[in-house]
Structures are given as C-alpha cells and as structure tokens.
Amino acid sequence: MTETTSAGNSGSNSAPLTKTARQQKIIDLITLQSVRSQIELAEALATQGITVTQATLSRDLAEVGAVKIRSTAGSVYAVPGEGGDRSLQQSTGESLDAKLPRILEELLVSAVSQDNTVVLRTPPGAAQYLASAIDRSSMVGIFGTLAGDDTVLVIADAAVGGAAVAEAFLEYAAGGLAEG
C-alpha cells in the first residue's frame, strides 16, 4: 500500500499523513466539491500529494460515513455533518468562500490586528464556528486560526500582514467585498 504526502503550504512544516488527516481531507473534498466516484476522489487526493490504494479509500469512505446520494449533479458522495448536525453534507455548488461574508456579517463583533495577528471577537459560543469557516475558506493571507469561546486568533502570512487581513474581515462583515 502506497500512501505519501508532500508539503502543500508555504510554511516549513506540513501535515503528517495520518489516517485521521487523510480522512479529514476526504471529508473536505466531499463537502467542497461534487465527488462522483472513488476514482475522482483518488485523483483529487493525488493532486494534493496524497496517494492511496482503492482498498484504503473504500475503508476510509466507510469509516467517515460517506454515502452516495442523488443530487442535481448526479450521484455524488455525502458525509454526515459535524457536531450535533448529523445531516448529510455535500457540495452544493456554493463554496464556503461565498458563505464566509454572511457568517462574518452575523458573527463578527470586532477585528483588531497587531503585526501578523488578528483578534476577532464574536458572541459567546461562536468563535469555533467562525474559525472553522475561515480555515475552510480559500481566503488569501491566512496561515491558521485558534479559537476560544468568543475570540478567534488569526495568524496572517507575514507577507500579507494582520492589518490587511483584519480589514478584509471587516469589509466582508459590512458586505463590502464580493465573492472570491
């Protein structure tokens, strides 16, 4: 069985190819794009430096609870939602990048920056949801997030800087930035 990974980010470290990391990548792919077959899923994983055998992919799909459902895109994979939401999740054609401004509009209380960090304030209990939406978006300049109950620490890429990232969050929340 061949399973490999390569560094896919600009940082000096990369995620280890553990079973958990591989399965999370499968969930991310299924929820962010329409995946019609195991072959299509294996190709999408391969573009991210992850090569798996068909048997491993079948086991992973079963373990994450992926099922085939009929959708407007045809027969596609879906996975159960996170947390208390156990409804099936699949790509709807609307990316998280399109949802992020709405989430920020609803949840962002304030955004302040210093150097390459941004502190976002949310209502109590909403920080982890917001951090997850930011992590899953393709927003440029984000290195990573840490979330508490009502605070998200966003670490911006040094080349972009925290001030630019904080301004982008504030503009999204105000409805000033379009998709993408």
Side-chain angles (χ1 to χ4, degrees), residues 10-70:
S10 59
S12 60
N13 296 322
S14 180
L17 184 60
T18 62
K19 178 180 177 180
T20 303
R22 184 182 65 241
Q23 288 181 349
Q24 184 59 52
K25 182 54 71 178
I26 289 168
I27 291 169
D28 291 346
L29 288 168
I30 289 171
T31 56
L32 295 175
Q33 64 189 49
S34 294
V35 177
R36 293 171 199 76
S37 69
Q38 287 187 17
I39 293 170
E40 192 174 302
L41 182 56
E43 290 171 354
L45 288 167
T47 64
Q48 298 188 12
I50 302 170
T51 306
V52 295
T53 65
Q54 189 277 327
T56 298
L57 192 54
S58 290
R59 277 192 303 275
D60 285 346
L61 286 167
E63 289 177 14
V64 301
V67 295
K68 280 277 198 107
I69 62 170
R70 291 196 185 275

Coordinates of all heavy atoms in Angstrom, one line a residue, residues 10-70:
S10 N 3.2 27.1 2.3 CA 4.4 27.9 2.3 C 5.2 27.8 3.6 O 6.3 28.3 3.7 CB 4.1 29.3 2.0 OG 3.2 29.8 3.0
G11 N 4.6 27.2 4.6 CA 5.3 27.0 5.9 C 6.4 26.0 5.8 O 6.5 25.2 4.8
S12 N 7.2 25.9 6.8 CA 8.3 24.9 6.8 C 7.8 23.5 7.2 O 8.5 22.6 7.0 CB 9.4 25.4 7.7 OG 8.9 25.5 9.1
N13 N 6.6 23.4 7.8 CA 6.1 22.1 8.2 C 4.9 21.7 7.4 O 4.2 22.6 6.8 CB 5.7 22.1 9.7 CG 6.9 22.4 10.6 OD1 8.0 21.9 10.3 ND2 6.7 23.1 11.6
S14 N 4.6 20.5 7.3 CA 3.4 20.0 6.6 C 2.6 19.1 7.5 O 3.2 18.5 8.4 CB 3.8 19.3 5.3 OG 2.7 18.8 4.6
A15 N 1.4 18.9 7.2 CA 0.6 17.9 8.0 C 1.1 16.5 7.8 O 1.4 16.1 6.7 CB -0.9 18.0 7.6
P16 N 1.2 15.7 8.9 CA 1.6 14.3 8.7 C 0.5 13.6 8.0 O -0.7 14.0 8.1 CB 1.7 13.9 10.1 CG 0.8 14.7 10.9 CD 0.8 16.0 10.2
L17 N 0.8 12.6 7.3 CA -0.2 11.8 6.6 C -0.6 10.7 7.6 O -0.2 9.5 7.4 CB 0.2 11.2 5.3 CG -0.9 10.5 4.6 CD1 -2.1 11.4 4.3 CD2 -0.5 9.9 3.3
T18 N -1.4 11.1 8.5 CA -2.0 10.1 9.4 C -3.3 9.7 8.8 O -3.9 10.4 7.9 CB -2.2 10.7 10.8 OG1 -3.2 11.8 10.7 CG2 -0.9 11.2 11.4
K19 N -3.9 8.6 9.3 CA -5.2 8.2 8.9 C -6.2 9.3 9.1 O -7.1 9.6 8.2 CB -5.6 6.9 9.6 CG -6.9 6.4 9.3 CD -7.2 5.1 10.1 CE -8.6 4.5 9.9 NZ -8.8 3.3 10.7
T20 N -6.2 9.9 10.3 CA -7.1 11.0 10.6 C -7.0 12.2 9.6 O -8.0 12.7 9.2 CB -6.9 11.4 12.0 OG1 -7.0 10.3 12.9 CG2 -7.9 12.5 12.4
A21 N -5.7 12.6 9.3 CA -5.5 13.7 8.4 C -6.0 13.3 7.0 O -6.7 14.2 6.4 CB -4.0 14.0 8.4
R22 N -5.8 12.1 6.6 CA -6.2 11.7 5.2 C -7.8 11.7 5.2 O -8.4 12.2 4.2 CB -5.7 10.3 4.9 CG -6.0 9.8 3.5 CD -5.5 8.4 3.3 NE -6.1 7.4 4.1 CZ -5.5 6.7 5.0 NH1 -4.2 6.8 5.2 NH2 -6.1 5.8 5.8
Q23 N -8.4 11.2 6.2 CA -9.9 11.1 6.3 C -10.5 12.5 6.3 O -11.5 12.7 5.7 CB -10.3 10.2 7.4 CG -10.1 8.7 7.2 CD -10.6 7.8 8.3 OE1 -10.9 8.3 9.3 NE2 -10.5 6.5 8.0
Q24 N -9.8 13.4 7.0 CA -10.3 14.8 7.1 C -10.2 15.4 5.7 O -11.1 16.2 5.3 CB -9.6 15.6 8.1 CG -10.2 17.0 8.2 CD -11.6 17.1 8.7 OE1 -12.0 16.4 9.6 NE2 -12.5 17.8 7.9
K25 N -9.2 15.1 5.0 CA -9.0 15.7 3.6 C -10.1 15.1 2.7 O -10.7 15.8 1.9 CB -7.6 15.3 3.1 CG -7.4 15.8 1.7 CD -7.5 17.3 1.6 CE -6.5 18.1 2.3 NZ -6.7 19.6 2.1
I26 N -10.5 13.8 2.9 CA -11.6 13.2 2.1 C -12.9 14.0 2.4 O -13.7 14.3 1.5 CB -11.7 11.7 2.4 CG1 -10.5 11.0 1.8 CG2 -13.0 11.1 1.9 CD1 -10.3 9.5 2.2
I27 N -13.2 14.2 3.7 CA -14.4 14.9 4.1 C -14.4 16.3 3.5 O -15.4 16.8 3.0 CB -14.5 15.0 5.7 CG1 -14.7 13.6 6.2 CG2 -15.6 16.0 6.1 CD1 -14.6 13.5 7.7
D28 N -13.3 17.0 3.6 CA -13.2 18.3 3.0 C -13.5 18.3 1.5 O -14.2 19.2 1.0 CB -11.8 18.9 3.2 CG -11.5 19.3 4.7 OD1 -12.5 19.3 5.5 OD2 -10.3 19.5 5.0
L29 N -12.9 17.4 0.8 CA -13.1 17.3 -0.7 C -14.6 17.0 -1.0 O -15.2 17.6 -1.9 CB -12.2 16.2 -1.3 CG -10.8 16.6 -1.4 CD1 -9.9 15.3 -1.7 CD2 -10.5 17.7 -2.4
I30 N -15.2 16.1 -0.2 CA -16.6 15.8 -0.5 C -17.5 16.9 -0.2 O -18.5 17.2 -0.9 CB -17.0 14.5 0.4 CG1 -16.3 13.3 -0.2 CG2 -18.5 14.3 0.4 CD1 -16.5 12.0 0.6
T31 N -17.2 17.7 0.9 CA -18.1 18.8 1.2 C -17.9 20.1 0.4 O -18.7 20.9 0.3 CB -18.0 19.2 2.7 OG1 -16.7 19.5 3.0 CG2 -18.6 18.0 3.6
L32 N -16.7 20.2 -0.2 CA -16.4 21.4 -1.0 C -16.5 21.2 -2.5 O -16.6 22.2 -3.2 CB -14.9 21.8 -0.7 CG -14.7 22.3 0.7 CD1 -13.2 22.6 0.9 CD2 -15.5 23.5 1.1
Q33 N -16.6 20.0 -3.0 CA -16.8 19.8 -4.4 C -17.6 18.5 -4.6 O -17.7 17.7 -3.8 CB -15.5 19.7 -5.2 CG -14.6 18.6 -4.8 CD -13.2 18.6 -5.3 OE1 -12.5 19.7 -5.2 NE2 -12.7 17.6 -5.9
S34 N -18.3 18.4 -5.8 CA -19.1 17.2 -6.1 C -18.1 16.1 -6.5 O -17.4 16.2 -7.5 CB -20.0 17.5 -7.2 OG -21.0 18.4 -6.8
V35 N -18.1 15.0 -5.7 CA -17.3 13.9 -6.0 C -18.2 12.7 -6.4 O -19.0 12.3 -5.6 CB -16.4 13.5 -4.7 CG1 -15.6 12.2 -5.0 CG2 -15.5 14.7 -4.3
R36 N -18.0 12.3 -7.6 CA -18.9 11.3 -8.2 C -18.4 9.8 -8.0 O -19.2 8.9 -8.1 CB -19.2 11.6 -9.6 CG -20.0 12.9 -9.8 CD -20.1 13.3 -11.3 NE -20.4 14.7 -11.5 CZ -19.6 15.7 -11.3 NH1 -18.4 15.5 -10.9 NH2 -20.0 16.9 -11.5
S37 N -17.1 9.6 -7.9 CA -16.6 8.3 -7.8 C -15.3 8.2 -7.0 O -14.7 9.2 -6.7 CB -16.3 7.8 -9.3 OG -15.2 8.5 -9.8
Q38 N -15.0 7.0 -6.6 CA -13.7 6.8 -5.9 C -12.5 7.2 -6.8 O -11.5 7.7 -6.3 CB -13.6 5.3 -5.4 CG -14.5 5.0 -4.3 CD -14.3 3.6 -3.7 OE1 -13.2 3.0 -4.0 NE2 -15.2 3.1 -3.0
I39 N -12.6 6.9 -8.0 CA -11.5 7.3 -8.9 C -11.3 8.8 -8.9 O -10.2 9.3 -8.8 CB -11.8 6.8 -10.4 CG1 -11.7 5.3 -10.4 CG2 -10.8 7.4 -11.4 CD1 -12.2 4.6 -11.7
E40 N -12.5 9.6 -9.0 CA -12.4 11.0 -9.0 C -11.8 11.5 -7.7 O -11.0 12.4 -7.6 CB -13.8 11.6 -9.2 CG -13.9 13.0 -9.5 CD -15.3 13.4 -9.8 OE1 -15.9 12.9 -10.7 OE2 -15.9 14.3 -9.0
L41 N -12.2 10.9 -6.6 CA -11.7 11.2 -5.2 C -10.2 10.9 -5.1 O -9.4 11.7 -4.6 CB -12.5 10.5 -4.2 CG -12.1 10.8 -2.7 CD1 -12.2 12.3 -2.4 CD2 -13.0 10.0 -1.8
A42 N -9.8 9.8 -5.6 CA -8.4 9.4 -5.6 C -7.5 10.4 -6.4 O -6.4 10.8 -6.0 CB -8.2 8.0 -6.1
E43 N -8.1 10.9 -7.6 CA -7.4 11.9 -8.4 C -7.3 13.2 -7.6 O -6.2 13.9 -7.7 CB -8.1 12.0 -9.7 CG -7.9 10.8 -10.6 CD -8.8 10.9 -11.9 OE1 -9.6 11.8 -12.0 OE2 -8.6 10.0 -12.7
A44 N -8.4 13.6 -7.0 CA -8.3 14.9 -6.2 C -7.3 14.8 -5.1 O -6.6 15.7 -4.8 CB -9.7 15.2 -5.7
L45 N -7.3 13.6 -4.4 CA -6.3 13.4 -3.3 C -4.9 13.5 -3.9 O -4.0 14.1 -3.3 CB -6.5 12.1 -2.6 CG -7.7 12.1 -1.7 CD1 -8.0 10.6 -1.3 CD2 -7.5 12.9 -0.5
A46 N -4.7 12.9 -5.1 CA -3.3 12.8 -5.7 C -2.8 14.2 -6.0 O -1.7 14.5 -5.9 CB -3.4 12.0 -6.9
T47 N -3.8 15.1 -6.5 CA -3.3 16.5 -6.8 C -2.9 17.2 -5.5 O -2.2 18.2 -5.6 CB -4.5 17.3 -7.4 OG1 -5.5 17.5 -6.5 CG2 -5.0 16.7 -8.7
Q48 N -3.2 16.7 -4.3 CA -2.8 17.3 -3.1 C -1.6 16.5 -2.5 O -1.3 16.7 -1.3 CB -3.9 17.4 -2.1 CG -5.0 18.3 -2.7 CD -6.1 18.7 -1.8 OE1 -6.0 18.4 -0.6 NE2 -7.1 19.3 -2.3
G49 N -1.0 15.6 -3.3 CA 0.1 14.8 -2.8 C -0.2 13.6 -2.0 O 0.7 13.1 -1.3
I50 N -1.4 13.2 -2.0 CA -1.8 12.0 -1.2 C -2.2 10.9 -2.2 O -3.2 11.0 -2.9 CB -3.0 12.3 -0.3 CG1 -2.7 13.5 0.6 CG2 -3.5 11.1 0.5 CD1 -3.9 14.0 1.4
T51 N -1.5 9.8 -2.1 CA -1.8 8.6 -3.0 C -2.2 7.5 -2.1 O -1.6 7.1 -1.1 CB -0.5 8.2 -3.8 OG1 0.0 9.3 -4.5 CG2 -0.8 7.1 -4.7
V52 N -3.4 6.9 -2.4 CA -3.9 5.8 -1.6 C -4.4 4.7 -2.6 O -4.7 5.0 -3.7 CB -5.2 6.3 -0.7 CG1 -4.7 7.3 0.3 CG2 -6.3 6.8 -1.6
T53 N -4.4 3.5 -2.0 CA -4.9 2.4 -2.8 C -6.5 2.4 -2.8 O -7.1 3.1 -1.9 CB -4.5 1.1 -2.2 OG1 -5.1 0.9 -0.9 CG2 -3.0 1.0 -2.1
Q54 N -7.1 1.7 -3.7 CA -8.5 1.7 -3.8 C -9.1 1.1 -2.5 O -10.1 1.5 -2.0 CB -9.0 0.9 -5.0 CG -10.4 1.0 -5.3 CD -11.3 0.0 -4.5 OE1 -10.8 -1.1 -4.2 NE2 -12.5 0.3 -4.2
A55 N -8.5 0.1 -1.9 CA -8.9 -0.6 -0.7 C -8.9 0.4 0.5 O -9.9 0.4 1.3 CB -8.1 -1.8 -0.4
T56 N -7.8 1.1 0.6 CA -7.7 2.1 1.7 C -8.8 3.2 1.5 O -9.5 3.6 2.5 CB -6.3 2.8 1.7 OG1 -5.4 1.8 1.9 CG2 -6.2 3.9 2.7
L57 N -9.0 3.6 0.3 CA -10.0 4.7 0.0 C -11.4 4.2 0.4 O -12.2 4.9 1.0 CB -10.0 5.1 -1.4 CG -10.7 6.4 -1.8 CD1 -10.4 7.5 -0.9 CD2 -10.5 6.7 -3.3
S58 N -11.7 2.9 0.0 CA -13.0 2.3 0.4 C -13.2 2.3 1.9 O -14.3 2.6 2.4 CB -13.1 0.9 -0.2 OG -13.2 0.9 -1.6
R59 N -12.2 1.8 2.6 CA -12.3 1.8 4.1 C -12.5 3.2 4.6 O -13.3 3.4 5.5 CB -11.0 1.1 4.7 CG -11.0 -0.4 4.7 CD -9.9 -0.9 5.5 NE -8.6 -0.5 5.1 CZ -7.9 -1.1 4.2 NH1 -8.3 -2.2 3.5 NH2 -6.7 -0.6 3.8
D60 N -11.7 4.1 4.1 CA -11.8 5.5 4.6 C -13.2 6.0 4.4 O -13.8 6.7 5.3 CB -10.8 6.4 4.0 CG -9.4 6.2 4.5 OD1 -9.2 5.6 5.5 OD2 -8.5 6.7 3.8
L61 N -13.8 5.8 3.2 CA -15.1 6.3 3.0 C -16.2 5.7 3.9 O -17.1 6.4 4.4 CB -15.5 6.0 1.5 CG -14.8 6.9 0.5 CD1 -15.0 6.3 -0.9 CD2 -15.4 8.3 0.5
A62 N -16.0 4.4 4.2 CA -16.9 3.7 5.1 C -16.7 4.3 6.5 O -17.7 4.5 7.2 CB -16.7 2.2 5.1
E63 N -15.5 4.5 6.9 CA -15.3 5.0 8.3 C -15.7 6.4 8.5 O -16.1 6.8 9.6 CB -13.8 4.8 8.6 CG -13.4 3.4 8.8 CD -11.9 3.2 9.1 OE1 -11.2 4.2 9.4 OE2 -11.4 2.1 9.0
V64 N -15.7 7.3 7.5 CA -16.2 8.6 7.7 C -17.7 8.7 7.5 O -18.3 9.8 7.6 CB -15.5 9.7 6.8 CG1 -14.0 9.7 7.0 CG2 -15.7 9.4 5.3
G65 N -18.3 7.6 7.1 CA -19.8 7.6 6.9 C -20.2 8.1 5.6 O -21.4 8.5 5.5
A66 N -19.4 8.1 4.6 CA -19.7 8.7 3.3 C -20.7 7.7 2.6 O -20.6 6.5 2.7 CB -18.5 8.8 2.4
V67 N -21.7 8.3 2.0 CA -22.7 7.5 1.2 C -22.9 8.2 -0.1 O -22.7 9.4 -0.2 CB -24.0 7.4 2.0 CG1 -23.9 6.6 3.2 CG2 -24.6 8.7 2.3
K68 N -23.4 7.5 -1.1 CA -23.8 8.1 -2.4 C -25.2 8.5 -2.3 O -26.1 7.8 -1.8 CB -23.6 7.0 -3.5 CG -22.2 6.8 -4.0 CD -21.9 7.8 -5.0 CE -20.7 7.4 -5.9 NZ -21.0 7.1 -7.2
I69 N -25.5 9.7 -2.8 CA -26.8 10.3 -2.8 C -27.1 10.9 -4.2 O -26.1 11.2 -4.9 CB -27.1 11.4 -1.8 CG1 -26.1 12.6 -2.0 CG2 -26.9 10.8 -0.4 CD1 -26.5 13.8 -1.1
R70 N -28.3 11.0 -4.6 CA -28.7 11.7 -5.8 C -28.8 13.2 -5.6 O -29.3 13.6 -4.6 CB -30.0 11.1 -6.3 CG -29.9 9.7 -6.8 CD -31.1 9.4 -7.7 NE -31.2 8.0 -8.0 CZ -30.5 7.5 -9.1 NH1 -29.8 8.3 -9.8 NH2 -30.5 6.2 -9.3

